[in-house]
Amino acid sequence: MSFLCSWSGGKDSCYAMHIAVKKGLQPIVLLNVLNEYGDRSRSHGIPKEILEAQADAMKLPIHFFESTWNDYERLYIESLKRLTDTYNLKSAVFGDIDIQSHRDWEEKVSNAANLKAILPIWQQSRKQLVLDMIDNGIEALIVSCNNILGPDFLGRKIDKKLIEDLEALGVDACGENGEYHTLVVNAPLFKEKLRVNVVGKETSSNYNFASLKLL
C-alpha cells in the first residue's frame, strides 16, 4: 500500500514511517506545513532546507505548503487531495501516539482525500517508544522546548541519559504533550547522516528554539 507521510522532521513521524515500511507499506511522498513566511516548519520550527535534506537522504519527494493556523485544515486537505491524485496514494501515515483529538483530526482530513489514516505507533508506551527509537538507530536532537526544560536542552541528543533527565524534571519522556520537539539527523531510512549545528538560541512565547545550520 502506497502512503504519504505527514512529516514533521522529528522522531515520532520518522519512527511511524519506519514501522510502516517494516510492515510492507511503501512511502511515496512527504508532506510538511511551513509557516506563512515559508522559511521553516510550522510545528517544529525546522528550516525548509533541512527538511529538504532529510527528504533527499531518504530519496523521497517532499511537498510543502505555507499556512497560518487559521487556514491550516483547509490547505492540508487541498494538499492531500492533490498529492493523492498525483501519486495515486492509498493512505497517510501519522506519528501521533495517544492524543485522541489529534487522531480524530488526522482521520477527518484523510477521509476528505479518500485516504486511510494509519497511526503505526498509536497507544504504545511513550517511554518505551523513545527507547525503541534509540535502539532502532534513530538519531534526533532537541530543537525546541518549553521553559521547564529551558535553552540548555536545545541541541541535546535523544538518548537514555536524556530520558533520565527529563523524568527527573517530571517531563514526559516522549514530549507528546509538546514539552519538546526534535530533528532527526539519521535513521535506518536515511542513506546518509545529516550534519546540523545549533548556531544560536532564541525564545518566543515562552518557548525556546534552536537556530540551525546545515553543514
Side-chain angles (χ1 to χ4, degrees), residues 44 142-154 179-181 200-211:
H44 288 32
I142 292 180
V143 293
S144 60
C145 63
N146 64 16
N147 280 336
I148 296 175
L149 298 180
D152 288 346
F153 275 80
L154 295 175
E179 297 93 337
Y180 69 91
H181 294 299
K201 301 176 181 181
E202 56 188 76
T203 300
S204 176
S205 300
N206 298 317
Y207 214 75
N208 303 283
F209 295 89
S211 298

mmCIF file of all heavy atoms in Angstrom, residues 44 142-154 179-181 200-211:
data_model
loop_
_atom_site.group_PDB
_atom_site.id
_atom_site.type_symbol
_atom_site.label_atom_id
_atom_site.label_comp_id
_atom_site.label_asym_id
_atom_site.label_seq_id
_atom_site.Cartn_x
_atom_site.Cartn_y
_atom_site.Cartn_z
ATOM 1 N N HIS A 44 7.562 22.508 14.203
ATOM 2 C CA HIS A 44 8.823 22.334 14.927
ATOM 3 C C HIS A 44 9.817 23.481 14.744
ATOM 4 O O HIS A 44 10.841 23.509 15.413
ATOM 5 C CB HIS A 44 9.508 21.030 14.487
ATOM 6 C CG HIS A 44 8.839 19.787 14.990
ATOM 7 N ND1 HIS A 44 7.487 19.686 15.187
ATOM 8 C CD2 HIS A 44 9.345 18.577 15.330
ATOM 9 C CE1 HIS A 44 7.192 18.473 15.623
ATOM 10 N NE2 HIS A 44 8.293 17.786 15.722
ATOM 11 N N ILE A 142 17.051 17.712 20.200
ATOM 12 C CA ILE A 142 16.015 18.652 20.617
ATOM 13 C C ILE A 142 16.260 19.991 19.933
ATOM 14 O O ILE A 142 17.355 20.561 20.037
ATOM 15 C CB ILE A 142 16.003 18.818 22.147
ATOM 16 C CG1 ILE A 142 15.545 17.526 22.822
ATOM 17 C CG2 ILE A 142 15.082 19.977 22.563
ATOM 18 C CD1 ILE A 142 15.502 17.599 24.346
ATOM 19 N N VAL A 143 15.249 20.487 19.218
ATOM 20 C CA VAL A 143 15.399 21.762 18.509
ATOM 21 C C VAL A 143 14.445 22.837 19.023
ATOM 22 O O VAL A 143 14.561 24.003 18.644
ATOM 23 C CB VAL A 143 15.231 21.577 16.992
ATOM 24 C CG1 VAL A 143 16.377 20.747 16.432
ATOM 25 C CG2 VAL A 143 13.891 20.943 16.655
ATOM 26 N N SER A 144 13.500 22.460 19.870
ATOM 27 C CA SER A 144 12.661 23.447 20.550
ATOM 28 C C SER A 144 12.137 22.808 21.832
ATOM 29 O O SER A 144 11.988 21.587 21.907
ATOM 30 C CB SER A 144 11.506 23.924 19.663
ATOM 31 O OG SER A 144 10.671 22.848 19.296
ATOM 32 N N CYS A 145 11.859 23.632 22.836
ATOM 33 C CA CYS A 145 11.407 23.088 24.116
ATOM 34 C C CYS A 145 10.776 24.187 24.961
ATOM 35 O O CYS A 145 11.005 25.384 24.736
ATOM 36 C CB CYS A 145 12.561 22.429 24.879
ATOM 37 S SG CYS A 145 13.904 23.545 25.350
ATOM 38 N N ASN A 146 10.006 23.766 25.953
ATOM 39 C CA ASN A 146 9.372 24.740 26.839
ATOM 40 C C ASN A 146 10.345 25.209 27.917
ATOM 41 O O ASN A 146 11.507 24.774 27.975
ATOM 42 C CB ASN A 146 8.087 24.162 27.449
ATOM 43 C CG ASN A 146 8.346 22.965 28.361
ATOM 44 O OD1 ASN A 146 9.472 22.710 28.800
ATOM 45 N ND2 ASN A 146 7.291 22.218 28.659
ATOM 46 N N ASN A 147 9.861 26.071 28.782
ATOM 47 C CA ASN A 147 10.749 26.651 29.791
ATOM 48 C C ASN A 147 10.965 25.778 31.010
ATOM 49 O O ASN A 147 11.800 26.102 31.850
ATOM 50 C CB ASN A 147 10.232 28.030 30.214
ATOM 51 C CG ASN A 147 10.596 29.112 29.207
ATOM 52 O OD1 ASN A 147 11.555 28.963 28.460
ATOM 53 N ND2 ASN A 147 9.815 30.176 29.170
ATOM 54 N N ILE A 148 10.217 24.679 31.126
ATOM 55 C CA ILE A 148 10.556 23.690 32.161
ATOM 56 C C ILE A 148 11.927 23.102 31.847
ATOM 57 O O ILE A 148 12.738 22.859 32.742
ATOM 58 C CB ILE A 148 9.479 22.589 32.242
ATOM 59 C CG1 ILE A 148 8.144 23.182 32.683
ATOM 60 C CG2 ILE A 148 9.912 21.483 33.210
ATOM 61 C CD1 ILE A 148 6.999 22.191 32.680
ATOM 62 N N LEU A 149 12.175 22.902 30.566
ATOM 63 C CA LEU A 149 13.484 22.413 30.142
ATOM 64 C C LEU A 149 14.469 23.562 29.965
ATOM 65 O O LEU A 149 15.578 23.522 30.473
ATOM 66 C CB LEU A 149 13.337 21.628 28.832
ATOM 67 C CG LEU A 149 12.458 20.377 28.905
ATOM 68 C CD1 LEU A 149 12.383 19.694 27.547
ATOM 69 C CD2 LEU A 149 12.973 19.407 29.951
ATOM 70 N N GLY A 150 14.076 24.586 29.233
ATOM 71 C CA GLY A 150 14.949 25.740 29.055
ATOM 72 C C GLY A 150 15.941 25.562 27.923
ATOM 73 O O GLY A 150 16.118 24.465 27.383
ATOM 74 N N PRO A 151 16.631 26.642 27.547
ATOM 75 C CA PRO A 151 17.505 26.623 26.371
ATOM 76 C C PRO A 151 18.680 25.671 26.463
ATOM 77 O O PRO A 151 19.233 25.278 25.430
ATOM 78 C CB PRO A 151 17.977 28.086 26.254
ATOM 79 C CG PRO A 151 17.759 28.683 27.613
ATOM 80 C CD PRO A 151 16.569 27.990 28.179
ATOM 81 N N ASP A 152 19.090 25.275 27.674
ATOM 82 C CA ASP A 152 20.228 24.367 27.790
ATOM 83 C C ASP A 152 19.945 22.995 27.188
ATOM 84 O O ASP A 152 20.871 22.245 26.876
ATOM 85 C CB ASP A 152 20.642 24.202 29.256
ATOM 86 C CG ASP A 152 21.321 25.439 29.817
ATOM 87 O OD1 ASP A 152 21.705 26.316 29.011
ATOM 88 O OD2 ASP A 152 21.462 25.541 31.045
ATOM 89 N N PHE A 153 18.660 22.652 27.033
ATOM 90 C CA PHE A 153 18.315 21.357 26.445
ATOM 91 C C PHE A 153 18.358 21.385 24.915
ATOM 92 O O PHE A 153 18.345 20.327 24.279
ATOM 93 C CB PHE A 153 16.933 20.905 26.915
ATOM 94 C CG PHE A 153 16.948 20.177 28.231
ATOM 95 C CD1 PHE A 153 17.023 20.866 29.421
ATOM 96 C CD2 PHE A 153 16.896 18.786 28.267
ATOM 97 C CE1 PHE A 153 17.042 20.205 30.635
ATOM 98 C CE2 PHE A 153 16.912 18.105 29.474
ATOM 99 C CZ PHE A 153 16.988 18.810 30.670
ATOM 100 N N LEU A 154 18.395 22.564 24.317
ATOM 101 C CA LEU A 154 18.451 22.659 22.862
ATOM 102 C C LEU A 154 19.751 22.053 22.347
ATOM 103 O O LEU A 154 20.835 22.328 22.863
ATOM 104 C CB LEU A 154 18.348 24.115 22.421
ATOM 105 C CG LEU A 154 17.019 24.815 22.727
ATOM 106 C CD1 LEU A 154 17.103 26.285 22.359
ATOM 107 C CD2 LEU A 154 15.857 24.144 22.008
ATOM 108 N N GLU A 179 6.255 19.253 25.202
ATOM 109 C CA GLU A 179 7.342 19.744 26.041
ATOM 110 C C GLU A 179 8.601 20.038 25.230
ATOM 111 O O GLU A 179 9.374 20.923 25.562
ATOM 112 C CB GLU A 179 7.675 18.727 27.140
ATOM 113 C CG GLU A 179 6.536 18.460 28.114
ATOM 114 C CD GLU A 179 5.682 17.273 27.702
ATOM 115 O OE1 GLU A 179 5.670 16.921 26.494
ATOM 116 O OE2 GLU A 179 5.032 16.693 28.575
ATOM 117 N N TYR A 180 8.812 19.246 24.192
ATOM 118 C CA TYR A 180 9.961 19.495 23.313
ATOM 119 C C TYR A 180 9.672 18.893 21.935
ATOM 120 O O TYR A 180 8.800 18.037 21.778
ATOM 121 C CB TYR A 180 11.252 18.897 23.892
ATOM 122 C CG TYR A 180 11.310 17.386 23.905
ATOM 123 C CD1 TYR A 180 11.845 16.678 22.831
ATOM 124 C CD2 TYR A 180 10.857 16.652 25.002
ATOM 125 C CE1 TYR A 180 11.908 15.295 22.834
ATOM 126 C CE2 TYR A 180 10.920 15.266 25.016
ATOM 127 C CZ TYR A 180 11.452 14.592 23.932
ATOM 128 O OH TYR A 180 11.513 13.220 23.931
ATOM 129 N N HIS A 181 10.424 19.379 20.937
ATOM 130 C CA HIS A 181 10.335 18.839 19.581
ATOM 131 C C HIS A 181 11.743 18.521 19.095
ATOM 132 O O HIS A 181 12.728 19.085 19.581
ATOM 133 C CB HIS A 181 9.670 19.833 18.632
ATOM 134 C CG HIS A 181 8.234 20.088 18.952
ATOM 135 N ND1 HIS A 181 7.272 19.112 18.933
ATOM 136 C CD2 HIS A 181 7.588 21.233 19.306
ATOM 137 C CE1 HIS A 181 6.096 19.620 19.254
ATOM 138 N NE2 HIS A 181 6.263 20.905 19.487
ATOM 139 N N GLY A 200 22.669 29.076 17.382
ATOM 140 C CA GLY A 200 22.088 30.122 18.200
ATOM 141 C C GLY A 200 20.832 29.613 18.881
ATOM 142 O O GLY A 200 20.332 28.530 18.576
ATOM 143 N N LYS A 201 20.333 30.419 19.835
ATOM 144 C CA LYS A 201 19.118 30.056 20.560
ATOM 145 C C LYS A 201 18.270 31.302 20.747
ATOM 146 O O LYS A 201 18.800 32.396 20.939
ATOM 147 C CB LYS A 201 19.463 29.438 21.920
ATOM 148 C CG LYS A 201 20.320 28.180 21.826
ATOM 149 C CD LYS A 201 20.733 27.657 23.206
ATOM 150 C CE LYS A 201 21.614 26.419 23.079
ATOM 151 N NZ LYS A 201 22.018 25.884 24.406
ATOM 152 N N GLU A 202 16.955 31.118 20.657
ATOM 153 C CA GLU A 202 16.051 32.251 20.844
ATOM 154 C C GLU A 202 14.806 31.788 21.594
ATOM 155 O O GLU A 202 14.467 30.604 21.596
ATOM 156 C CB GLU A 202 15.667 32.859 19.498
ATOM 157 C CG GLU A 202 15.038 31.879 18.517
ATOM 158 C CD GLU A 202 14.840 32.473 17.132
ATOM 159 O OE1 GLU A 202 15.827 32.593 16.383
ATOM 160 O OE2 GLU A 202 13.682 32.816 16.819
ATOM 161 N N THR A 203 14.135 32.745 22.210
ATOM 162 C CA THR A 203 12.914 32.447 22.958
ATOM 163 C C THR A 203 11.772 33.267 22.386
ATOM 164 O O THR A 203 11.915 34.457 22.115
ATOM 165 C CB THR A 203 13.085 32.769 24.457
ATOM 166 O OG1 THR A 203 14.154 31.978 24.989
ATOM 167 C CG2 THR A 203 11.812 32.463 25.230
ATOM 168 N N SER A 204 10.623 32.601 22.191
ATOM 169 C CA SER A 204 9.442 33.273 21.676
ATOM 170 C C SER A 204 8.214 32.646 22.311
ATOM 171 O O SER A 204 8.053 31.424 22.288
ATOM 172 C CB SER A 204 9.373 33.133 20.154
ATOM 173 O OG SER A 204 8.180 33.697 19.641
ATOM 174 N N SER A 205 7.367 33.475 22.912
ATOM 175 C CA SER A 205 6.123 32.993 23.536
ATOM 176 C C SER A 205 6.391 31.880 24.547
ATOM 177 O O SER A 205 5.734 30.837 24.540
ATOM 178 C CB SER A 205 5.148 32.504 22.455
ATOM 179 O OG SER A 205 4.843 33.543 21.567
ATOM 180 N N ASN A 206 7.390 32.086 25.395
ATOM 181 C CA ASN A 206 7.719 31.134 26.448
ATOM 182 C C ASN A 206 8.164 29.773 25.917
ATOM 183 O O ASN A 206 8.011 28.745 26.590
ATOM 184 C CB ASN A 206 6.533 30.942 27.411
ATOM 185 C CG ASN A 206 6.164 32.226 28.131
ATOM 186 O OD1 ASN A 206 7.042 32.959 28.578
ATOM 187 N ND2 ASN A 206 4.877 32.511 28.217
ATOM 188 N N TYR A 207 8.682 29.766 24.692
ATOM 189 C CA TYR A 207 9.205 28.533 24.107
ATOM 190 C C TYR A 207 10.567 28.829 23.526
ATOM 191 O O TYR A 207 10.826 29.942 23.027
ATOM 192 C CB TYR A 207 8.235 28.047 23.007
ATOM 193 C CG TYR A 207 8.167 26.540 22.903
ATOM 194 C CD1 TYR A 207 7.481 25.792 23.860
ATOM 195 C CD2 TYR A 207 8.764 25.867 21.849
ATOM 196 C CE1 TYR A 207 7.406 24.415 23.761
ATOM 197 C CE2 TYR A 207 8.690 24.488 21.740
ATOM 198 C CZ TYR A 207 8.004 23.761 22.705
ATOM 199 O OH TYR A 207 7.930 22.396 22.611
ATOM 200 N N ASN A 208 11.470 27.878 23.599
ATOM 201 C CA ASN A 208 12.849 28.062 23.175
ATOM 202 C C ASN A 208 13.103 27.354 21.843
ATOM 203 O O ASN A 208 12.681 26.208 21.661
ATOM 204 C CB ASN A 208 13.800 27.510 24.245
ATOM 205 C CG ASN A 208 13.572 28.147 25.599
ATOM 206 O OD1 ASN A 208 13.972 29.265 25.838
ATOM 207 N ND2 ASN A 208 12.894 27.431 26.494
ATOM 208 N N PHE A 209 13.807 28.028 20.948
ATOM 209 C CA PHE A 209 14.075 27.474 19.628
ATOM 210 C C PHE A 209 15.576 27.526 19.326
ATOM 211 O O PHE A 209 16.233 28.512 19.624
ATOM 212 C CB PHE A 209 13.346 28.265 18.543
ATOM 213 C CG PHE A 209 11.850 28.182 18.640
ATOM 214 C CD1 PHE A 209 11.131 29.094 19.415
ATOM 215 C CD2 PHE A 209 11.140 27.191 17.975
ATOM 216 C CE1 PHE A 209 9.759 29.018 19.507
ATOM 217 C CE2 PHE A 209 9.761 27.115 18.062
ATOM 218 C CZ PHE A 209 9.059 28.020 18.836
ATOM 219 N N ALA A 210 16.074 26.462 18.713
ATOM 220 C CA ALA A 210 17.467 26.431 18.255
ATOM 221 C C ALA A 210 17.547 27.004 16.855
ATOM 222 O O ALA A 210 16.716 26.688 16.000
ATOM 223 C CB ALA A 210 18.004 25.007 18.278
ATOM 224 N N SER A 211 18.538 27.844 16.615
ATOM 225 C CA SER A 211 18.850 28.282 15.254
ATOM 226 C C SER A 211 19.773 27.225 14.656
ATOM 227 O O SER A 211 20.825 26.930 15.225
ATOM 228 C CB SER A 211 19.532 29.654 15.264
ATOM 229 O OG SER A 211 18.668 30.624 15.815
#
